[in-house]
């Protein structure tokens, strides 16, 4: 059996151990296993937010737009180059994930006239499916295994000359399964389609190689592993050589080539800024930028290494202590095939989650009908936290 | 000639004089005449923002969504009933103004099949025109007087059975002219069209009667006179009896009837929430809510009365001191026909604005090619501020 001392030994050798101090943790006794839903506040975000409110807004007033106006592109560059494998000028902080998905999916369909079909899979995040169904002429939904996620071969079987776009989540929101970005992108391109990745559960937790895989389009949120704050601005990615031919449908002044000229005619900005629309919410954006900076400083390889160590421990403890009391694993067993969270399933999952929060000082995440998502965030969660969380799940499951 | 002492007498009798203390004003020597672009921070917004970041995000973590999820509708209700003349359940805080305009204009066109035309006017905010052009099958642009704004008779001349939507700004962004909401709404309805008002320059500064005029749709921002913060979340309004037949195109989980059920199928929420899409940016939203609360407490009638007194003083001082040195008035002369700002025009407007900021401690707003917008915000701007601002404009204009 894996002991708490074993977990403590892993923590003692953890190169990211000191990063916990970068976060505001007013309740050190709480085991927070929902960093995959809303990350904790980085201290840097709280500092920047205060400065943005008091100094930039309060003192700078409207004059602060001189520099605020550059934040969405500059922060996108940092996120893109440090954490997503994109090149400068390919990522923009903008709107919310679903709005960005709408923009890029609409632009993709417009760029492939005569092809009305959008392909997605049955395990994709429901909001993504709603958005895609809203813009597609016709949907094809790949039936994916609920644990292993969509497989390239299954996607390939749906592709033909009527498909404009394949849109999948890179890491499944429920199972945590990683979809094969390189293989699916290649298959889509071979069929003349574009590919659009939702990176919400991948950004800041797994290395992503948008440039290397040749991915066309991507969106994602910054409030999970990037710790950008509740409902923080989302991001979008458009590969550089595609930008000029992509026309997103929500034209607004922040996407205009010369927004302060107030011309009658809409001229889309060259580059990634053409995918912007309205005035960006700067208070939320400076917090998101601080979260991204904090993750970039830790480095995605170190984050991934620790994340795999944490989820490996979780799976080990699952086998030892949770499987015997009726839990099933809802996540791929092979560490390389999963993202940052581990799902465990139990018929009484809802009640167990309620008891964990109310009585055991553990915050997990319930996803209906039977899934408990456990998302140990590498920047502030320790191996001992994971050990204790499983220990308390055992207690909560016994009523 | 109107003296500074005359202005001081008006301030002494100002029932809103004490509201200046509700705002963080770290630079009392600065005369801020751009509250119509970005309002100053209410102290309540700074307090709420701190609490939202440290307590709601930092301590409550994901559990805070239990109450955050209600904020967009609750804040919309406060804004709608106190400041816009709407009924409960008709206003939602959501996204940015241009995104909301896209949603509602798209929904309006879908609700009027066979009618491809959208009517707007030549003085409408450029971003509104870009958005509308992006969704309309065909645009008709009423040529409006640059000072008096679009007139009902001119709008009437464009209306026929091919028009789905008339979309105007209630208060012109440049001239400040108020469009006749009741008359234009009636004309649009008589022609079988819907009407969509942009209230960005009207909300929180002029009384609006959405219910009384029978307006169908509206959008607007909260960062001007509502002092909600830079790029604060915008709002949208849909008249209650229209909501069920309006289908906005950006479907997302926050607009779903049962968003946390994660069902495969999109079922639009009943009521105003169906116009929401993604996760709302809560840090920005609590600041906006505090701005709205502060304005609601002051009361729109008191705000309007002081605003008219401030702009009347501005026009008086324009006649006495600015007209003689080459300025022209870019705003209606009749107080009832203008919103909260006064535009003055001068061939050297750009240089004058630069000098005002750099050398005279006055922040005005330049709009190309020749307009200086002066927006005295009634909650924190005094009549003496207005007198001093004009005095410094005279100095800046002399080089």
């Amino acid at each position: 059996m894996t002991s708490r001392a074993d977990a403590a030994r892993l923590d003692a050798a953890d190169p990211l151990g000191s990063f916990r101090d970068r976060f505001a943790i007013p309740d050190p006794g709480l085991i927070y296993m929902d960093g995959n839903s809303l990350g904790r506040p980085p201290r840097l975000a709280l500092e920047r937010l205060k400065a943005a409110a008091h100094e930039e807004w309060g003192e700078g007033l409207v004059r602060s737009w001189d520099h605020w106006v550059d934040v969405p592109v500059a922060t996108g560059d940092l996120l893109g180059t440090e954490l997503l494998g994109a090149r400068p000028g390919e990522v923009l902080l903008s709107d919310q994930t679903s709005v960005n998905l709408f923009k890029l999916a609409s632009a993709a369909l417009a760029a492939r006239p005569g092809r009305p079909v959008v392909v997605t899979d049955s395990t994709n995040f429901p909001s993504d499916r709603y958005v895609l169904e809203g813009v597609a002429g016709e949907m094809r939904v790949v039936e994916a295994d609920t644990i292993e996620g969509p497989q390239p071969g299954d996607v390939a079987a749906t592709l033909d000359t009527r498909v404009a776009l394949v849109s999948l989540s890179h890491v499944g929101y429920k199972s945590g399964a990683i979809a094969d970005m390189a293989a699916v992108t290649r298959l889509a391109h071979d069929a003349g389609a574009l590919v659009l990745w939702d990176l919400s559960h991948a950004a800041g937790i797994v290395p992503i190689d948008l440039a290397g895989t040749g991915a066309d389009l991507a969106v994602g949120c910054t409030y999970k592993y990037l710790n950008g704050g509740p409902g923080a601005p989302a991001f979008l990615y458009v590969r550089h050589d595609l930008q000029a031919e992509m026309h997103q449908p929500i034209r607004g002044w922040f996407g205009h080539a010369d927004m302060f000229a107030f011309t009658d005619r809409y001229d889309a900005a060259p580059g990634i800024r053409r995918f912007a629309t309205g005035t960006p919410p700067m208070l939320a954006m400076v917090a998101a930028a601080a979260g991204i900076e904090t993750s970039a400083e830790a480095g995605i390889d170190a984050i991934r290494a620790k994340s795999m160590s944490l989820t490996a421990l979780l799976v080990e403890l699952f086998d030892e202590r949770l499987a015997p009391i009726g839990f099933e694993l809802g996540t791929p067993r092979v560490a390389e095939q999963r993202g940052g969270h581990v799902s465990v399933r139990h018929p009484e999952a809802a009640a167990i989650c309620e008891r964990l929060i109310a009585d055991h000082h553990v915050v997990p995440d319930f996803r209906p009908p039977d899934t408990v998502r456990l998302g140990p965030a590498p920047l502030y969660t320790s191996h001992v936290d994971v050990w204790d969380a499983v220990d308390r799940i055992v207690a909560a499951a016994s009523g």
Side-chain angles (χ1 to χ4, degrees), chain A residues 369-387:
Chain A
D370 63 356
T371 296
V372 185
R373 292 196 310 185
L374 300 167
L379 296 183
Y380 52 77
T381 311
S382 69
H383 296 82
V384 166
D385 287 335
V386 166
W387 197 94

Side-chain angles (χ1 to χ4, degrees), chain A residues 172-372:
Chain A
Y173 84 103
K174 202 180 253 186
S175 71
I178 298 180
D180 187 335
M181 184 178 283
V184 171
T185 298
R186 199 162 46 237
L187 287 166
H189 288 177
D190 288 349
L194 295 162
V195 67
L196 196 176
W197 293 96
D198 185 338
L199 306 177
S200 292
H201 285 272
I205 190 71
V206 300
I208 300 167
D209 188 7
L210 289 170
T213 59
D216 303 300
L217 309 163
V219 298
C221 80
T222 65
Y223 51 73
K224 297 177 183 293
Y225 298 108
L226 293 170
N227 308 301
F235 63 87
L236 59 82
Y237 155 88
V238 181
R239 204 181 64 229
H240 188 268
D241 59 294
L242 276 179
Q243 291 173 5
E245 62 182 283
M246 299 289 285
H247 300 282
Q248 62 100 349
I250 320 182
R251 303 177 185 180
W253 64 328
F254 271 72
H256 194 282
D258 188 3
M259 60 173 285
F260 291 115
F262 297 94
T263 59
D264 288 350
R265 210 181 76 159
Y266 181 74
D267 294 307
I272 195 69
R273 204 165 55 72
R274 66 169 51 198
F275 300 96
T277 300
T279 313
M282 291 314 307
L283 297 175
M285 207 160 271
V286 297
I292 291 164
E293 277 185 53
T294 302
S295 288
E297 193 186 332
I300 191 64
D301 292 332
I303 290 171
R304 174 63 169 161
K306 180 169 176 189
S307 172
M308 287 172 70
S309 177
L310 290 166
T311 62
L313 177 62
L314 252 177
V315 171
E316 199 172 297
L317 292 167
F318 164 84
D319 286 335
E320 293 175 1
R321 304 189 63 189
L322 299 182
I325 58 170
F327 281 89
E328 289 180 21
L329 190 63
T331 294
R333 281 210 158 262
V334 179
E336 287 72 16
Q337 292 173 6
R338 62 179 182 246
H341 71 271
V342 169
S343 288
V344 297
R345 295 158 69 180
H346 192 283
E348 304 297 320
I352 292 169
C353 284
E354 279 175 25
R355 285 198 291 269
L356 279 169
I357 294 173
D359 306 328
H360 297 277
H361 229 44
V362 175
V363 175
D365 193 40
F366 173 65
R367 284 291 174 263
D370 63 356
T371 296
V372 185

Side-chain angles (χ1 to χ4, degrees), chain A residues 32-45:
Chain A
Y32 189 56
M33 298 295 277
D34 208 1
N36 54 318
S37 185
L38 173 62
R40 282 187 182 276
R43 290 186 194 281
L44 187 64

